[in-house]
């Protein structure tokens, strides 16, 4: 997605933005040196609902219980259509 210049919104209740960059570099080799506009392309949200607002897609890559309790109808209503 980053190579396609997508704007990515991330929400993780346990990881700080600074730690996210370290993890992305370590696991994927993605960093500001090899990915232009990286910091501008990734927005960290304060909650799952704001991360999904206006989104074209949603990917949940965790097993945190918090994500089992979300109102997915509310999320769908806030997304771009078709979603």
């Amino acid at each position: 997605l980053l190579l396609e210049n997508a704007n990515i919104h991330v929400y993780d209740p346990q990881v700080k933005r600074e730690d996210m960059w370290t993890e992305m570099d370590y696991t994927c080799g993605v960093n500001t040196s090899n990915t232009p506009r990286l910091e501008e392309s990734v927005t960290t949200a304060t909650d799952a609902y704001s991360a999904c607002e206006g989104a074209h897609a949603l990917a949940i890559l965790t097993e945190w219980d918090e994500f089992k309790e979300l109102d997915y109808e509310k999320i769908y209503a806030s997304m771009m259509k078709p979603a």
Side-chain angles (χ1 to χ4, degrees), residues 58-69:
L58 165 67
I60 298 174
L61 307 172
T62 184
E63 295 179 4
W64 290 107
D65 287 340
E66 175 179 345
F67 293 90
K68 296 175 186 175
E69 306 297 324

Side-chain angles (χ1 to χ4, degrees), residues 4-71:
E4 296 293 326
N5 295 317
N7 292 319
I8 300 171
H9 291 243
V10 176
Y11 169 65
D12 189 318
Q14 301 295 318
V15 178
K16 296 178 185 168
R17 183 175 174 90
E18 299 79 30
D19 298 331
M20 176 187 68
W21 298 128
T22 302
E23 190 67 25
M24 287 177 68
D25 189 21
Y26 178 75
T27 59
C28 306
V30 174
N31 57 57
T32 55
S33 298
N34 61 25
T35 309
R37 295 187 56 247
L38 177 61
E39 291 201 39
E40 296 84 17
S41 298
V42 179
T43 300
T44 48
T46 57
D47 61 77
Y49 296 105
S50 62
C52 297
E53 197 170 308
H56 293 275
L58 165 67
I60 298 174
L61 307 172
T62 184
E63 295 179 4
W64 290 107
D65 287 340
E66 175 179 345
F67 293 90
K68 296 175 186 175
E69 306 297 324
L70 295 174
D71 181 346

